[in-house]
């Protein structure tokens, strides 16, 4: 009784600490937005991201009744331009505040997801800080990049699934894939996790909670067998009510958004917002190992075989990860995102935020110690990126022909990403997001643990 009252009394103070964290994060972002305005006006190097200028120009065109796709290099959903129309009549930094608010919302969602899985408050706070006080994440929104909106929607979808709100999850999933195409890779693990032994009509799915044992003990052979993807069982129940409903609603929302966009902007929308991302061959230098081959052969048309070969590693790794880790949904989509970015034909720094928002959600289940293994992974990843940036600087600002060393740096960056990904998998305590209703004994265990 005294322990319960002690925990109850402690809850407001914990909330106050988290709220203070959010307030400080908000003030930091407001300061950076204001500072960015000053730097843009007084310094040669602008603080504002080039993409934000593109977004703002497209929004201005939409506000004046024209197509946002008249702005060259605008290759996003019309929804983004619509959200930024206040840039034209309210203030040019409106979008930065919107993106930064989404950034804070991501931090709140991270805290909420971890608390629902019974992660201790201290670990929750450290995990949230990994997002809120990461220099990369708090600058990307304040510089005017739209990725925090996508991150917020993805975490909201996870929350909806955890609460059993399949209709909301399906709606937002269809919307986020329209808004930004890459979350389509989450379709298969999401469908697979909608198992009839997890989602039952009229019942909220039972979550598998964090506990001390999960944090310290390795998985047994029996648990590993349970967590591996069972192809035969899934095929038998593939067309369950929940899976069909999720597919129809999310697919319907995606098609409806595209149909409305096509109605207003026609072929321009179809090419710039959708088809471009499938056929993109960017000759500019980027982190991808494919950029050098594209640069050397940009004048000619790439064959179907070459395009297939570039996608093959991506598809192979994606399917392997889904079949091995789909039941541990959050960990699975984190791995998918890292692998997708690593093996993509084009990699820019803004893509890293796609998996940064998921990293805090897997940290409580990791055995990796910050000292020394964690530091080694961080140093390898940042070191490989810095090495690449040095050659990129020589090419971009000094005009030195260093394409070959830059490509070698891309290979080293790929190796660093692969090494870190493997270490994360090895040190992760595999834990499904949901409990399965399989037998009376398992029900008794749920009752005991809860």
């Amino acid at each position: 009784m005294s322990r319960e009252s002690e925990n109850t009394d402690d809850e407001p103070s914990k909330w106050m600490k988290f709220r203070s964290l959010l307030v400080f994060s908000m003030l930091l972002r407001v300061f950076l937005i204001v500072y960015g305005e000053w730097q843009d006006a007084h310094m040669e190097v602008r603080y504002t991201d080039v993409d934000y200028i593109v977004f703002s120009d497209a929004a201005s065109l939409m506000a004046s009744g024209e197509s946002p796709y008249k702005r060259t290099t605008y290759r996003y959903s019309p929804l983004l331009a619509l959200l930024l129309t206040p840039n034209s009549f309210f203030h040019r930094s409106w979008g930065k505040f919107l993106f930064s608010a989404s950034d804070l919302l991501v931090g709140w969602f991270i805290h909420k997801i971890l608390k629902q899985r019974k992660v201790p408050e201290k670990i929750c706070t450290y995990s949230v800080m990994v997002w809120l006080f990461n220099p990369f994440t708090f600058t990307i929104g304040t510089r005017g990049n739209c990725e925090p909106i996508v991150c917020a929607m993805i975490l909201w979808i996870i929350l909806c699934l955890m609460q059993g709100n399949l209709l909301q999850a399906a709606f937002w999933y269809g919307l986020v894939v329209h808004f930004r195409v890459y979350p389509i890779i989450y379709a298969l693990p999401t469908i697979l996790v909608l198992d009839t032994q997890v989602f039952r009509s009229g019942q909220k799915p039972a979550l598998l909670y964090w506990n001390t044992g999960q944090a310290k003990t390795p998985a047994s052979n029996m648990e590993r067998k349970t967590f591996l993807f069972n192809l035969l069982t899934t095929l038998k129940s593939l067309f369950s009510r929940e899976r069909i409903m999720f597919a129809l609603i999310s697919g319907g929302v995606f098609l409806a958004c595209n149909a409305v966009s096509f109605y207003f902007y026609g072929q321009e929308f179809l090419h710039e917002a959708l088809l471009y991302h499938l056929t993109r061959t960017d000759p500019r230098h980027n982190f991808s190992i494919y950029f050098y081959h594209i640069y050397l052969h940009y004048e000619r048309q790439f064959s179907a075989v070459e395009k297939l070969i570039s996608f093959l590693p991506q598809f192979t790794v994606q399917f392997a990860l889904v079949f091995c880790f789909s039941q541990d949904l959050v960990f699975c989509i984190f791995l998918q995102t890292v692998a997708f970015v690593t093996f993509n034909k084009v990699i820019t720094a803004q893509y890293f935020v796609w998996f940064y928002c998921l990293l805090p959600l897997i940290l409580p289940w990791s055995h990796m110690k910050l000292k020394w293994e964690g530091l080694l992974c961080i140093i390898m990843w940042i070191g490989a990126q810095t090495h690449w940036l040095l050659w990129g600087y020589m090419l971009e600002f000094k005009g030195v022909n260093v394409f070959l060393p830059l490509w070698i740096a891309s290979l080293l960056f790929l190796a660093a990403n692969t090494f870190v990904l493997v270490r994360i998998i090895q040190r992760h305590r595999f834990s499904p997001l949901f409990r399965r209703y399989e037998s009376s004994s398992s029900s008794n265990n749920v009752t005991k643990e809860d």
Side-chain angles (χ1 to χ4, degrees), residues 224-264:
R224 288 172 183 168
K225 290 178 182 177
T226 303
F227 296 147
L228 286 177
F229 174 68
N230 190 323
L231 183 60
L232 183 60
T233 304
T234 302
L235 287 176
K236 287 180 180 179
S237 60
L238 183 62
F239 299 103
S240 66
R241 177 181 174 274
E242 289 75 15
R243 285 171 175 157
I244 292 173
M245 182 178 70
F246 186 89
L248 288 177
I249 294 173
S250 60
V253 170
F254 174 73
L255 291 175
C257 290
N258 289 336
V260 171
S261 301
F262 183 77
Y263 174 79
F264 283 104

Tab-separated table of all heavy atoms in Angstrom, residues 224-264:
chain	number	residue	atom	x	y	z
A	224	ARG	N	13.940	-17.640	-29.388
A	224	ARG	CA	14.382	-17.300	-30.742
A	224	ARG	C	13.522	-17.984	-31.782
A	224	ARG	O	13.173	-17.410	-32.809
A	224	ARG	CB	15.847	-17.717	-30.917
A	224	ARG	CG	16.819	-16.828	-30.145
A	224	ARG	CD	18.207	-17.385	-30.176
A	224	ARG	NE	19.128	-16.578	-29.384
A	224	ARG	CZ	20.348	-16.961	-29.061
A	224	ARG	NH1	20.808	-18.126	-29.454
A	224	ARG	NH2	21.120	-16.170	-28.337
A	225	LYS	N	13.156	-19.244	-31.510
A	225	LYS	CA	12.297	-19.960	-32.452
A	225	LYS	C	10.924	-19.304	-32.513
A	225	LYS	O	10.314	-19.211	-33.575
A	225	LYS	CB	12.155	-21.428	-32.020
A	225	LYS	CG	13.440	-22.239	-32.188
A	225	LYS	CD	13.246	-23.668	-31.688
A	225	LYS	CE	14.551	-24.463	-31.804
A	225	LYS	NZ	14.407	-25.828	-31.264
A	226	THR	N	10.424	-18.843	-31.349
A	226	THR	CA	9.119	-18.197	-31.317
A	226	THR	C	9.125	-16.905	-32.107
A	226	THR	O	8.171	-16.573	-32.804
A	226	THR	CB	8.709	-17.917	-29.855
A	226	THR	OG1	8.724	-19.140	-29.138
A	226	THR	CG2	7.319	-17.304	-29.773
A	227	PHE	N	10.221	-16.176	-32.022
A	227	PHE	CA	10.289	-14.866	-32.659
A	227	PHE	C	10.547	-14.938	-34.154
A	227	PHE	O	10.277	-14.002	-34.881
A	227	PHE	CB	11.382	-14.026	-31.993
A	227	PHE	CG	11.111	-13.729	-30.552
A	227	PHE	CD1	12.156	-13.623	-29.644
A	227	PHE	CD2	9.820	-13.572	-30.103
A	227	PHE	CE1	11.903	-13.341	-28.308
A	227	PHE	CE2	9.554	-13.290	-28.771
A	227	PHE	CZ	10.596	-13.177	-27.878
A	228	LEU	N	11.107	-16.042	-34.622
A	228	LEU	CA	11.355	-16.150	-36.057
A	228	LEU	C	10.044	-16.221	-36.822
A	228	LEU	O	9.045	-16.770	-36.346
A	228	LEU	CB	12.208	-17.390	-36.351
A	228	LEU	CG	13.686	-17.284	-35.963
A	228	LEU	CD1	14.386	-18.609	-36.247
A	228	LEU	CD2	14.378	-16.175	-36.723
A	229	PHE	N	10.058	-15.686	-37.998
A	229	PHE	CA	8.846	-15.625	-38.817
A	229	PHE	C	8.414	-17.016	-39.255
A	229	PHE	O	9.180	-17.766	-39.837
A	229	PHE	CB	9.138	-14.760	-40.045
A	229	PHE	CG	8.021	-14.729	-41.045
A	229	PHE	CD1	6.832	-14.115	-40.738
A	229	PHE	CD2	8.175	-15.311	-42.274
A	229	PHE	CE1	5.814	-14.076	-41.660
A	229	PHE	CE2	7.161	-15.277	-43.204
A	229	PHE	CZ	5.980	-14.655	-42.890
A	230	ASN	N	7.151	-17.371	-38.928
A	230	ASN	CA	6.589	-18.662	-39.297
A	230	ASN	C	5.773	-18.495	-40.574
A	230	ASN	O	4.634	-18.044	-40.535
A	230	ASN	CB	5.711	-19.205	-38.150
A	230	ASN	CG	5.308	-20.652	-38.372
A	230	ASN	OD1	5.045	-21.064	-39.499
A	230	ASN	ND2	5.272	-21.408	-37.295
A	231	LEU	N	6.349	-18.848	-41.697
A	231	LEU	CA	5.737	-18.595	-42.999
A	231	LEU	C	4.427	-19.359	-43.168
A	231	LEU	O	3.430	-18.821	-43.630
A	231	LEU	CB	6.716	-18.974	-44.112
A	231	LEU	CG	6.253	-18.700	-45.545
A	231	LEU	CD1	5.966	-17.221	-45.731
A	231	LEU	CD2	7.297	-19.167	-46.547
A	232	LEU	N	4.404	-20.643	-42.771
A	232	LEU	CA	3.224	-21.476	-42.980
A	232	LEU	C	2.028	-20.939	-42.198
A	232	LEU	O	0.923	-20.811	-42.737
A	232	LEU	CB	3.526	-22.920	-42.563
A	232	LEU	CG	2.403	-23.937	-42.785
A	232	LEU	CD1	2.045	-24.009	-44.263
A	232	LEU	CD2	2.817	-25.314	-42.275
A	233	THR	N	2.244	-20.604	-40.926
A	233	THR	CA	1.158	-20.094	-40.084
A	233	THR	C	0.611	-18.783	-40.635
A	233	THR	O	-0.601	-18.548	-40.665
A	233	THR	CB	1.650	-19.886	-38.646
A	233	THR	OG1	2.180	-21.114	-38.157
A	233	THR	CG2	0.526	-19.410	-37.740
A	234	THR	N	1.510	-17.929	-41.076
A	234	THR	CA	1.087	-16.623	-41.585
A	234	THR	C	0.279	-16.766	-42.870
A	234	THR	O	-0.711	-16.077	-43.075
A	234	THR	CB	2.311	-15.730	-41.828
A	234	THR	OG1	3.028	-15.594	-40.603
A	234	THR	CG2	1.893	-14.357	-42.315
A	235	LEU	N	0.698	-17.665	-43.745
A	235	LEU	CA	-0.030	-17.868	-44.995
A	235	LEU	C	-1.443	-18.377	-44.742
A	235	LEU	O	-2.380	-18.016	-45.453
A	235	LEU	CB	0.735	-18.856	-45.893
A	235	LEU	CG	2.007	-18.309	-46.555
A	235	LEU	CD1	2.709	-19.414	-47.336
A	235	LEU	CD2	1.693	-17.143	-47.475
A	236	LYS	N	-1.613	-19.203	-43.691
A	236	LYS	CA	-2.933	-19.741	-43.379
A	236	LYS	C	-3.907	-18.647	-42.949
A	236	LYS	O	-5.094	-18.704	-43.233
A	236	LYS	CB	-2.816	-20.796	-42.276
A	236	LYS	CG	-2.200	-22.120	-42.744
A	236	LYS	CD	-2.129	-23.113	-41.595
A	236	LYS	CE	-1.520	-24.433	-42.056
A	236	LYS	NZ	-1.409	-25.410	-40.945
A	237	SER	N	-3.373	-17.659	-42.216
A	237	SER	CA	-4.241	-16.592	-41.701
A	237	SER	C	-3.960	-15.251	-42.377
A	237	SER	O	-4.207	-14.195	-41.797
A	237	SER	CB	-4.041	-16.454	-40.189
A	237	SER	OG	-2.693	-16.128	-39.899
A	238	LEU	N	-3.427	-15.317	-43.597
A	238	LEU	CA	-3.003	-14.095	-44.270
A	238	LEU	C	-4.163	-13.137	-44.487
A	238	LEU	O	-4.040	-11.928	-44.310
A	238	LEU	CB	-2.341	-14.442	-45.608
A	238	LEU	CG	-1.783	-13.267	-46.410
A	238	LEU	CD1	-0.686	-12.561	-45.614
A	238	LEU	CD2	-1.227	-13.740	-47.747
A	239	PHE	N	-5.324	-13.668	-44.844
A	239	PHE	CA	-6.469	-12.827	-45.178
A	239	PHE	C	-7.403	-12.697	-43.983
A	239	PHE	O	-8.599	-12.955	-44.075
A	239	PHE	CB	-7.201	-13.383	-46.403
A	239	PHE	CG	-6.338	-13.427	-47.635
A	239	PHE	CD1	-5.783	-14.624	-48.070
A	239	PHE	CD2	-6.058	-12.266	-48.335
A	239	PHE	CE1	-4.979	-14.662	-49.196
A	239	PHE	CE2	-5.252	-12.304	-49.464
A	239	PHE	CZ	-4.703	-13.507	-49.887
A	240	SER	N	-6.839	-12.278	-42.860
A	240	SER	CA	-7.653	-12.045	-41.674
A	240	SER	C	-8.401	-10.724	-41.824
A	240	SER	O	-8.050	-9.872	-42.656
A	240	SER	CB	-6.781	-12.012	-40.418
A	240	SER	OG	-5.911	-10.897	-40.449
A	241	ARG	N	-9.412	-10.536	-40.996
A	241	ARG	CA	-10.230	-9.323	-41.055
A	241	ARG	C	-9.383	-8.079	-40.829
A	241	ARG	O	-9.530	-7.075	-41.538
A	241	ARG	CB	-11.329	-9.421	-39.993
A	241	ARG	CG	-12.205	-8.179	-39.891
A	241	ARG	CD	-13.258	-8.362	-38.805
A	241	ARG	NE	-14.011	-7.134	-38.597
A	241	ARG	CZ	-13.639	-6.149	-37.792
A	241	ARG	NH1	-12.504	-6.261	-37.118
A	241	ARG	NH2	-14.385	-5.060	-37.657
A	242	GLU	N	-8.489	-8.140	-39.849
A	242	GLU	CA	-7.669	-6.983	-39.510
A	242	GLU	C	-6.724	-6.607	-40.643
A	242	GLU	O	-6.539	-5.434	-40.957
A	242	GLU	CB	-6.870	-7.259	-38.230
A	242	GLU	CG	-7.693	-7.291	-36.955
A	242	GLU	CD	-8.498	-8.579	-36.827
A	242	GLU	OE1	-8.202	-9.549	-37.581
A	242	GLU	OE2	-9.412	-8.629	-35.999
A	243	ARG	N	-6.114	-7.615	-41.266
A	243	ARG	CA	-5.176	-7.344	-42.356
A	243	ARG	C	-5.889	-6.780	-43.577
A	243	ARG	O	-5.401	-5.843	-44.221
A	243	ARG	CB	-4.424	-8.630	-42.713
A	243	ARG	CG	-3.360	-8.990	-41.691
A	243	ARG	CD	-2.781	-10.355	-41.930
A	243	ARG	NE	-1.672	-10.624	-41.003
A	243	ARG	CZ	-1.259	-11.823	-40.660
A	243	ARG	NH1	-1.857	-12.891	-41.154
A	243	ARG	NH2	-0.260	-11.975	-39.816
A	244	ILE	N	-7.033	-7.341	-43.896
A	244	ILE	CA	-7.790	-6.847	-45.047
A	244	ILE	C	-8.248	-5.408	-44.802
A	244	ILE	O	-8.142	-4.542	-45.679
A	244	ILE	CB	-8.998	-7.765	-45.332
A	244	ILE	CG1	-8.510	-9.139	-45.819
A	244	ILE	CG2	-9.928	-7.133	-46.363
A	244	ILE	CD1	-9.609	-10.162	-45.969
A	245	MET	N	-8.733	-5.150	-43.578
A	245	MET	CA	-9.208	-3.803	-43.243
A	245	MET	C	-8.068	-2.794	-43.323
A	245	MET	O	-8.224	-1.708	-43.900
A	245	MET	CB	-9.800	-3.811	-41.835
A	245	MET	CG	-10.369	-2.466	-41.399
A	245	MET	SD	-11.120	-2.535	-39.755
A	245	MET	CE	-9.632	-2.742	-38.754
A	246	PHE	N	-6.905	-3.138	-42.753
A	246	PHE	CA	-5.769	-2.226	-42.775
A	246	PHE	C	-5.329	-1.952	-44.213
A	246	PHE	O	-5.072	-0.795	-44.576
A	246	PHE	CB	-4.603	-2.813	-41.981
A	246	PHE	CG	-3.441	-1.879	-41.820
A	246	PHE	CD1	-3.377	-1.010	-40.743
A	246	PHE	CD2	-2.409	-1.844	-42.753
A	246	PHE	CE1	-2.320	-0.126	-40.588
A	246	PHE	CE2	-1.342	-0.971	-42.615
A	246	PHE	CZ	-1.298	-0.114	-41.531
A	247	ALA	N	-5.246	-3.009	-45.034
A	247	ALA	CA	-4.807	-2.842	-46.421
A	247	ALA	C	-5.786	-1.987	-47.220
A	247	ALA	O	-5.376	-1.097	-47.983
A	247	ALA	CB	-4.629	-4.214	-47.073
A	248	LEU	N	-7.094	-2.230	-47.045
A	248	LEU	CA	-8.097	-1.491	-47.813
A	248	LEU	C	-8.131	-0.018	-47.419
A	248	LEU	O	-8.172	0.864	-48.279
A	248	LEU	CB	-9.480	-2.125	-47.615
A	248	LEU	CG	-9.717	-3.476	-48.291
A	248	LEU	CD1	-11.103	-4.014	-47.953
A	248	LEU	CD2	-9.554	-3.365	-49.802
A	249	ILE	N	-8.080	0.259	-46.117
A	249	ILE	CA	-8.176	1.653	-45.661
A	249	ILE	C	-6.911	2.436	-46.021
A	249	ILE	O	-6.985	3.533	-46.578
A	249	ILE	CB	-8.443	1.712	-44.147
A	249	ILE	CG1	-9.820	1.136	-43.841
A	249	ILE	CG2	-8.344	3.154	-43.638
A	249	ILE	CD1	-10.108	1.002	-42.358
A	250	SER	N	-5.745	1.872	-45.701
A	250	SER	CA	-4.500	2.583	-46.011
A	250	SER	C	-4.326	2.753	-47.512
A	250	SER	O	-3.944	3.830	-47.985
A	250	SER	CB	-3.300	1.849	-45.419
A	250	SER	OG	-3.191	0.536	-45.929
A	251	GLY	N	-4.633	1.688	-48.271
A	251	GLY	CA	-4.548	1.787	-49.727
A	251	GLY	C	-5.546	2.785	-50.284
A	251	GLY	O	-5.231	3.559	-51.206
A	252	GLY	N	-6.751	2.807	-49.702
A	252	GLY	CA	-7.772	3.746	-50.151
A	252	GLY	C	-7.382	5.196	-49.891
A	252	GLY	O	-7.573	6.072	-50.740
A	253	VAL	N	-6.823	5.459	-48.700
A	253	VAL	CA	-6.381	6.818	-48.365
A	253	VAL	C	-5.245	7.247	-49.296
A	253	VAL	O	-5.232	8.377	-49.802
A	253	VAL	CB	-5.925	6.897	-46.891
A	253	VAL	CG1	-5.244	8.231	-46.595
A	253	VAL	CG2	-7.114	6.690	-45.964
A	254	PHE	N	-4.291	6.333	-49.526
A	254	PHE	CA	-3.165	6.636	-50.420
A	254	PHE	C	-3.660	6.974	-51.823
A	254	PHE	O	-3.261	7.986	-52.419
A	254	PHE	CB	-2.216	5.442	-50.459
A	254	PHE	CG	-1.101	5.565	-51.454
A	254	PHE	CD1	-0.036	6.427	-51.226
A	254	PHE	CD2	-1.114	4.822	-52.629
A	254	PHE	CE1	1.000	6.549	-52.150
A	254	PHE	CE2	-0.089	4.932	-53.558
A	254	PHE	CZ	0.961	5.803	-53.313
A	255	LEU	N	-4.555	6.143	-52.353
A	255	LEU	CA	-5.072	6.366	-53.709
A	255	LEU	C	-5.923	7.632	-53.774
A	255	LEU	O	-5.868	8.378	-54.759
A	255	LEU	CB	-5.887	5.159	-54.165
A	255	LEU	CG	-5.088	3.871	-54.421
A	255	LEU	CD1	-6.030	2.711	-54.742
A	255	LEU	CD2	-4.091	4.072	-55.551
A	256	ALA	N	-6.713	7.892	-52.719
A	256	ALA	CA	-7.564	9.088	-52.715
A	256	ALA	C	-6.710	10.360	-52.709
A	256	ALA	O	-6.998	11.311	-53.451
A	256	ALA	CB	-8.480	9.054	-51.491
A	257	CYS	N	-5.664	10.376	-51.887
A	257	CYS	CA	-4.770	11.552	-51.844
A	257	CYS	C	-4.101	11.771	-53.198
A	257	CYS	O	-3.985	12.913	-53.676
A	257	CYS	CB	-3.710	11.366	-50.767
A	257	CYS	SG	-4.341	11.453	-49.076
A	258	ASN	N	-3.665	10.673	-53.808
A	258	ASN	CA	-3.021	10.789	-55.121
A	258	ASN	C	-4.020	11.222	-56.192
A	258	ASN	O	-3.677	11.993	-57.090
A	258	ASN	CB	-2.377	9.457	-55.517
A	258	ASN	CG	-1.151	9.152	-54.697
A	258	ASN	OD1	-0.510	10.050	-54.166
A	258	ASN	ND2	-0.815	7.881	-54.568
A	259	ALA	N	-5.261	10.708	-56.086
A	259	ALA	CA	-6.282	11.065	-57.078
A	259	ALA	C	-6.612	12.562	-57.005
A	259	ALA	O	-6.729	13.231	-58.031
A	259	ALA	CB	-7.538	10.228	-56.847
A	260	VAL	N	-6.760	13.086	-55.783
A	260	VAL	CA	-7.048	14.511	-55.610
A	260	VAL	C	-5.879	15.353	-56.130
A	260	VAL	O	-6.071	16.362	-56.826
A	260	VAL	CB	-7.341	14.834	-54.136
A	260	VAL	CG1	-7.434	16.343	-53.919
A	260	VAL	CG2	-8.629	14.152	-53.690
A	261	SER	N	-4.663	14.927	-55.802
A	261	SER	CA	-3.477	15.655	-56.268
A	261	SER	C	-3.379	15.629	-57.786
A	261	SER	O	-3.041	16.632	-58.422
A	261	SER	CB	-2.214	15.052	-55.644
A	261	SER	OG	-2.262	15.109	-54.239
A	262	PHE	N	-3.686	14.467	-58.372
A	262	PHE	CA	-3.637	14.335	-59.830
A	262	PHE	C	-4.725	15.197	-60.484
A	262	PHE	O	-4.508	15.779	-61.566
A	262	PHE	CB	-3.811	12.874	-60.233
A	262	PHE	CG	-3.711	12.627	-61.709
A	262	PHE	CD1	-2.480	12.606	-62.335
A	262	PHE	CD2	-4.856	12.438	-62.482
A	262	PHE	CE1	-2.377	12.382	-63.717
A	262	PHE	CE2	-4.767	12.219	-63.846
A	262	PHE	CZ	-3.520	12.193	-64.464
A	263	TYR	N	-5.879	15.279	-59.826
A	263	TYR	CA	-6.984	16.086	-60.361
A	263	TYR	C	-6.560	17.552	-60.485
A	263	TYR	O	-6.893	18.223	-61.471
A	263	TYR	CB	-8.207	15.951	-59.454
A	263	TYR	CG	-9.350	16.864	-59.832
A	263	TYR	CD1	-10.196	16.537	-60.899
A	263	TYR	CD2	-9.582	18.056	-59.133
A	263	TYR	CE1	-11.245	17.379	-61.253
A	263	TYR	CE2	-10.617	18.893	-59.482
A	263	TYR	CZ	-11.443	18.552	-60.546
A	263	TYR	OH	-12.482	19.389	-60.898
A	264	PHE	N	-5.853	18.051	-59.489
A	264	PHE	CA	-5.465	19.466	-59.488
A	264	PHE	C	-4.198	19.731	-60.290
A	264	PHE	O	-4.077	20.791	-60.918
A	264	PHE	CB	-5.271	19.961	-58.052
A	264	PHE	CG	-6.555	20.221	-57.318
A	264	PHE	CD1	-7.009	19.325	-56.366
A	264	PHE	CD2	-7.317	21.343	-57.603
A	264	PHE	CE1	-8.203	19.560	-55.691
A	264	PHE	CE2	-8.510	21.585	-56.930
A	264	PHE	CZ	-8.960	20.682	-55.973
